[in-house]
Amino acid sequence: GYVPHIPKSTPGRDLVSMVQQMWSAFISGKQLAQKRILLVDDKDLHVHLETKLLHKERAITTRFRDGSELLEAVMHLTETNSMPWDAIILDQTMETLDGLPTLERLPSAFKERVPIIMYSTEDSLIEKMVAAGAVESLGRRPGSHKAVVAALGRVLAERPPG
């Protein structure tokens, strides 16, 4: 029977290389590409919408439902000294533990290493949030795509990597 001639080149390797080049070009235009963002919010719809918009920017997202989950995770992190997030978006109003009391209980060393953006529609709390260690605040929830990306871009640009 007839056996077709198969060239000795490696089309598989060429394809992998082409896909890697396309992926690099695709994410290079995204300032949040590969950034690890933690969303702390008990409202599923807000988290769903923000996750979608952050994934469009090629960010990697994780979610905690309230401040107590964040505090527990940070307690374990400071022991191992690893930082799994590049930035945190923390909602003010949550069922179990609100954002401001969470922020006040976080260790200073943690807040110096991981920028925290707070969501609050209460103007009276913004000063307290900043005093407690928030580096940005956003009013509307969920935030507009441009506002969230701009805030994350600003806080990440101000921090040295790692």
Side-chain angles (χ1 to χ4, degrees), residues 7-160:
K8 299 271 185 215
S9 72
T10 54
R13 198 174 312 154
D14 294 344
L15 180 61
V16 167
S17 174
M18 188 174 77
V19 168
Q20 286 172 333
Q21 287 173 353
M22 288 169 59
W23 177 250
S24 294
F26 183 64
I27 65 171
S28 66
K30 305 284 186 183
Q31 65 178 353
L32 300 181
Q34 305 301 303
K35 297 296 182 191
R36 300 156 307 161
I37 312 301
L38 173 64
L39 304 172
V40 184
D41 193 342
D42 60 351
K43 290 167 197 71
D44 293 337
L45 178 62
H46 293 170
V47 172
H48 172 76
L49 293 171
E50 281 178 358
T51 297
K52 276 182 75 168
L53 88 80
L54 290 170
H55 286 178
K56 281 183 185 174
E57 296 298 320
R58 303 295 163 243
I60 302 159
T61 59
T62 311
R63 184 231 188 138
F64 287 155
R65 291 192 163 275
D66 65 40
S68 59
E69 287 184 27
L70 174 59
L71 291 171
E72 186 177 328
V74 168
M75 191 174 68
H76 295 292
L77 287 178
T78 45
E79 291 167 13
T80 62
N81 207 29
S82 64
M83 287 297 149
W85 312 294
D86 295 304
I88 296 172
I89 298 178
L90 179 62
D91 190 29
Q92 166 52 26
T93 309
M94 292 181 279
E95 228 169 87
T96 311
L97 183 61
D98 284 342
L100 184 58
T102 300
L103 194 57
E104 291 169 341
R105 293 178 197 174
L106 285 169
S108 297
F110 177 80
K111 291 185 276 192
E112 287 166 14
R113 292 181 64 188
V114 181
I116 299 170
I117 298 171
M118 288 283 302
Y119 261 116
S120 179
T121 54
E122 301 170 53
D123 290 341
S124 62
L125 289 180
I126 292 172
E127 210 172 288
K128 291 176 184 171
M129 291 174 187
V130 171
V135 294
E136 281 266 349
S137 67
L138 293 167
R140 273 189 26 241
R141 193 70 202 258
S144 76
H145 186 106
K146 283 182 181 173
V148 172
V149 170
L152 283 166
R154 280 190 301 274
V155 302
L156 292 169
E158 293 166 8
R159 302 281 163 138

